[in-house]
Amino acid sequence: MHCVSSKHAVMMVSFCQGALLLSLAASMAVYADMKVHCGPDFVTLMWTESRPQADTSLLRLGSCFPTSFSAGEAYFYVDLTDCNFRILVTGDVLLYSNDLTYVASDDSYNLAFTHPVACAYERPKDWYSSQQIYDPVFKTYGLGDLQFTIGLMNDDFSGPAEFTSYPLGSIIPIMASVVQKTHQPLLLLLEECVAATTPELHPESTMYPIISNKGCLLESVSSQSKFEPRQKSSEMRLSLQTFKFAMGEEVYIHCKLLAWDPNGLDSTKKACHFVKGHGWELLDDLAQSNLCDCCESKCKSRRQRSVASEKHGMVQKAVIGPFTITDVNS
């Protein structure tokens, strides 16, 4: 039984192996048949073309080429973690979406087109993402064979946040991670983070510094903000106490994530927070807390070969949001 068999320009909704399949067709002439199957962690798609001049090798599912093709058909068998699938979290549903596109050649009589395809799954209760999500809660960025994720979490960091409005003085749990496919174990650091009222930073953007000076959590000096103990080196957890900034407006946090050699900590590669009665402490090794001394001045970069250079692809800018900070007294 096929999950779906739909002529182009027809909307179909069907259940398949517990997954809800949505195939949202564009308004185009009926010239092809598409069959999509949503597996537990993969998708298959068969495109049967009726136009004699169409070159099925020019079809793409996201960033993926056809697994196989012939004169009138193209077949895709892909994992949900490949091909730049997007994920949207909506309540208890994970919606994986992508685009089937036809990349017409310059001398082709056939027009290029885009055909959206999506599969929806029930979200496990203990699920949180390490993949690409278009959602205020989670964002993921791929860089080479590294995948950086940053997101708003629930109170115990066991899953994604269920709301994006925080009373002034409450704690925002934030978690960042890096998925390492072929690299040696890496240490994830938050090099800098600023709050802003815009999803992109501009010279005129209103900003509020949170982490600066190469890993110094400034907010920990005057609030209950702190780095939580690591569960693993490739993950960072931040408990950020909300501050008086852009009250009631949409707020975004812009961060620079750094994947680094766990044995290469120095004054510019560190995670430092201020502990009342103790001063600045290094999250990963209290004995080396002197690396945090520069948090009160200027932490200068050393002139040495850096694996965090653009060449090695270890630094990633990321954005969380929007969320809102509300004043309970107003």
Side-chain angles (χ1 to χ4, degrees):
M1 173 183 175
H2 293 297
C3 281
V4 101
S5 177
S6 62
K7 290 294 184 181
H8 212 59
V10 176
M11 179 179 292
M12 297 293 295
V13 179
S14 177
F15 283 95
C16 175
Q17 292 186 350
L20 173 64
L21 169 69
L22 305 174
S23 177
L24 307 177
S27 298
M28 298 177 65
V30 178
Y31 51 70
D33 182 73
M34 185 178 72
K35 296 180 176 68
V36 180
H37 172 83
C38 297
D41 56 2
F42 65 90
V43 174
T44 64
L45 186 151
M46 174 66 78
W47 181 268
T48 304
E49 181 66 60
S50 61
R51 297 172 297 176
Q53 297 89 0
D55 183 355
T56 56
S57 69
L58 298 177
L59 286 164
R60 304 286 185 270
L61 181 58
S63 60
C64 289
F65 289 74
T67 306
S68 63
F69 60 89
S70 62
E73 292 184 335
Y75 176 73
F76 296 83
Y77 184 105
V78 298
D79 292 336
L80 289 170
T81 55
D82 295 333
C83 309
N84 291 333
F85 270 86
R86 301 177 292 271
I87 308 175
L88 177 64
V89 182
T90 306
D92 294 329
V93 175
L94 299 179
L95 182 67
Y96 287 75
S97 64
N98 214 326
D99 296 307
L100 179 71
T101 58
Y102 183 80
V103 186
S105 58
D106 294 337
D107 57 351
S108 174
Y109 292 98
N110 297 307
L111 296 177
F113 67 81
T114 298
H115 184 84
V117 175
C119 291
Y121 301 83
E122 183 179 356
R123 179 171 70 88
K125 292 182 179 179
D126 59 349
W127 181 93
Y128 70 88
S129 175
S130 62
Q131 301 174 44
Q132 187 170 13
I133 298 179
Y134 293 124
D135 182 87
V137 176
F138 263 99
K139 296 288 170 58
T140 295
Y141 306 82
L143 197 60
D145 57 356
L146 295 182
Q147 192 173 64
F148 294 85
T149 300
I150 189 167
L152 306 175
M153 304 297 291
N154 58 16
D155 291 342
D156 61 0
F157 291 91
S158 62
E162 298 178 357
F163 52 83
T164 55
S165 179
Y166 300 89
L168 181 63
S170 64
I171 298 296
I172 304 177
I174 297 172
M175 186 168 73
S177 64
V178 59
V179 176
Q180 303 136 221
K181 298 180 180 178
T182 60
H183 283 264
Q184 62 183 15
L186 295 171
L187 183 73
L188 183 70
L189 300 169
L190 294 176
E191 190 170 80
E192 63 181 43
C193 291
V194 298
T197 54
T198 55
E200 296 181 359
L201 291 179
H202 306 286
E204 64 274 13
S205 297
T206 302
M207 291 181 284
Y208 184 99
I210 299 170
I211 299 173
S212 69
N213 213 357
K214 304 294 183 180
C216 302
L217 179 56
L218 303 182
E219 273 300 289
S220 61
V221 175
S222 58
S223 75
Q224 299 177 36
S225 298
K226 61 179 179 178
F227 292 124
E228 299 291 349
R230 290 188 191 269
Q231 303 299 307
K232 48 187 176 182
S233 65
S234 59
E235 180 181 287
M236 280 204 75
R237 298 182 177 188
L238 167 63
S239 291
L240 178 66
Q241 187 173 29
T242 53
F243 38 85
K244 200 164 187 178
F245 174 77
M247 306 300 294
E249 299 180 37
E250 289 189 341
V251 176
Y252 300 82
I253 295 180
H254 299 256
C255 292
K256 183 183 290 186
L257 310 181
L258 170 64
W260 191 252
D261 178 358
N263 299 315
L265 294 176
D266 62 27
S267 60
T268 63
K269 309 295 183 298
K270 64 190 186 302
C272 298
H273 55 188
F274 190 87
V275 178
K276 307 300 185 291
H278 294 274
W280 288 98
E281 291 186 355
L282 186 69
L283 172 66
D284 296 294
D285 186 357
L286 288 178
Q288 296 188 69
S289 291
N290 62 304
L291 297 179
C292 302
D293 291 348
C294 61
C295 286
E296 298 290 348
S297 55
K298 176 67 174 178
C299 299
K300 297 180 180 180
S301 299
R302 297 180 179 179
R303 293 185 177 275
Q304 62 182 16
R305 186 173 180 267
S306 170
V307 299
S309 66
E310 182 179 351
K311 178 180 177 181
H312 289 79
M314 299 292 186
V315 179
Q316 177 65 54
K317 293 182 179 179
V319 185
I320 319 170
F323 62 89
T324 57
I325 303 172
T326 59
D327 190 344
V328 294
N329 297 318
S330 61

